[in-house]
Amino acid sequence: MGITRMGVIDADRLDVGNLTRHALGLDAVGHNKAKALASALNLIMPDANAAAFESSFPPIDGDVADQLRAFDVIVDCTGSDAILDAMSEFEWGGEKLFVSLAMTWKAEGLLVFTASESAFPKIDAKERFSSVDVPPTDLQDARIEGVGCWHPVFPASAADVRLWSAVGSKAVGRAMRSPERRCEYFRQTEDGALERIDV
C-alpha cells in the first residue's frame, strides 16, 4: 500500500540549528518547514502529491481544517502533549489512522503510538508514553529553553534522527497494514543494536 497524497502542516520556519536534526537541507533555511518538506517529498517520490499547510494545529482556517479531514492517516511528530490534546478535540469527520512519534532525550529512543479511531485517544497515549522507562532529560546538557528536538541545542546527531525517521516510516506502514491501537518503544543499545518493546 503506497502513500501518494500527503499533507504537511507546520507554521514554523527552518533555522540553521535545526539542520542536523531535520531531513531538509541548507537551501530550506529561512523557509516554512511545511512548504520545504512538501517540496522535498515531491522531488524524491515520483508518485507523491504532497501539499503544504503553513498553519499551526489545530488550524483556525476552516478551509485548511476541511482539507486535513480528507486525509486517512494522521501522523504527529511533535512530541507535544498540547498537540495530542488538540488532536483528540479536533473534529476529524470519521475514522482515521493516528500515528504519534516522539524521540526521547538525546534521540536514544523512539516512542510510537498508533490507533484507528474517530478521535485521537490522548489519555491512553499519554499513559502509555509515561509508563516507558526512558532516559531522563539531563538539563546539564542543554539550556532549559532548548530541550526539544527542534531546538539547536538538542543533543542528538543527524544520524540518530535519520535512524528514527526510518523506523517511524516503517511503523506508519505497519499501522496502515494492521490498524490497531498499540504502543511501542524502540531504543538503541550501547552496541548500536535496536530493541523493540511493546508498551
Side-chain angles (χ1 to χ4, degrees), residues 5-180:
R5 192 171 152 276
M6 295 172 271
V8 182
I9 183 169
D10 199 321
D12 293 340
R13 302 216 168 274
L14 189 74
D15 293 326
V16 172
N18 301 140
L19 288 178
T20 58
R21 289 161 298 280
H22 211 288
L24 296 172
L26 201 56
D27 59 334
V29 170
H31 296 277
N32 171 265
K33 289 181 181 178
K35 283 183 80 170
L37 186 56
S39 176
L41 289 168
N42 287 328
L43 284 172
I44 63 171
M45 299 172 63
D47 58 347
N49 178 11
F53 301 98
E54 295 182 63
S55 173
S56 297
F57 186 84
I60 297 169
D61 184 321
D63 183 51
V64 171
D66 287 341
Q67 290 181 67
L68 291 180
R69 289 184 184 100
F71 292 102
D72 297 322
V73 182
I74 309 301
V75 181
D76 159 56
C77 301
T78 63
S80 163
D81 282 351
I83 295 297
L84 298 185
D85 292 342
M87 285 171 57
S88 74
E89 294 161 10
F90 187 76
E91 289 293 331
W92 292 103
E95 188 167 326
K96 304 292 178 189
L97 174 60
F98 296 101
V99 182
S100 182
L101 307 170
M103 280 191 301
T104 62
W105 182 244
K106 294 186 178 181
E108 291 173 330
L110 180 74
L111 293 162
V112 179
F113 180 86
T114 64
S116 182
E117 301 179 25
S118 57
F120 182 76
K122 69 175 182 179
I123 294 172
D124 187 29
K126 288 181 181 182
E127 285 178 354
R128 292 202 204 193
F129 282 165
S130 66
S131 73
V132 177
D133 185 24
V134 299
T137 301
D138 182 1
L139 296 180
Q140 301 287 340
D141 285 350
R143 299 187 307 267
I144 187 69
E145 72 274 14
V147 298
C149 63
W150 47 269
H151 198 282
V153 300
F154 183 70
S157 72
D160 292 325
V161 174
R162 284 182 174 80
L163 167 69
W164 296 129
S165 66
V167 171
S169 295
K170 291 282 193 182
V172 172
R174 262 195 328 277
M176 290 173 65
R177 288 187 300 276
S178 177
E180 61 189 59

